[in-house]
Amino acid sequence: MATAPPLVAAAAPAAADVPLSVPNLSSSGVSGTIIPPPEIRAVVHKTALFVSKNGRAFEAKILASAQGQSGGKFAFMDPSSPFYGYYEARIRFYEEGGTDEAEAEERRRTAEAEAAATAAERARVER
């Protein structure tokens, strides 16, 4: 039995699973962005990075290719895809100078800060 795709990120997922660009999307007017599962997210990130560097002509080449025509691996590039908003936001992220490395470092720092806050709260409660 196939599993359903993830729903809108309403609950607080683990910090390591969610790119930092997603929380900032609401401030740019985008809301309800559906975060793709990791195996699709990796393709979205790589494609968005190439599109941000090479322009929409590169995107058109992908869409005109056999893989682009069949959907499959690049189905997120279709405006009717539930992951299209995430893909477009990721293009903007890279165009604005965002990097995967800086994002991963920020995620790591956020996770450490959350762990420290949790440990402090537990220590306070145990007193």
Side-chain angles (χ1 to χ4, degrees):
M1 182 171 165
T3 59
L7 301 177
V8 175
D17 293 338
V18 180
L20 292 176
S21 62
V22 173
N24 298 330
L25 292 176
S26 62
S27 65
S28 67
V30 178
S31 63
T33 301
I34 300 174
I35 302 167
E39 62 276 7
I40 296 173
R41 195 178 322 143
V43 177
V44 171
H45 286 199
K46 185 164 283 238
T47 305
L49 178 61
F50 283 122
V51 169
S52 72
K53 288 181 176 182
N54 301 311
R56 294 291 177 157
F58 179 77
E59 180 181 60
K61 285 181 184 180
I62 294 171
L63 292 171
S65 73
Q67 284 186 317
Q69 293 289 322
S70 67
K73 182 176 178 180
F74 297 105
F76 61 85
M77 296 174 78
D78 183 330
S80 66
S81 167
F83 306 127
Y84 182 75
Y86 182 84
Y87 166 64
E88 287 293 323
R90 201 66 191 179
I91 292 171
R92 285 191 307 276
F93 170 78
Y94 291 125
E95 287 175 340
E96 293 169 0
T99 65
D100 293 328
E101 294 79 15
E103 182 179 66
E105 176 61 23
E106 181 62 26
R107 239 190 343 262
R108 184 191 62 75
R109 277 188 261 136
T110 299
E112 286 177 357
E114 288 173 356
T118 300
E121 178 64 19
R122 281 188 189 140
R124 186 189 68 75
V125 169
E126 290 174 358
R127 285 187 219 172

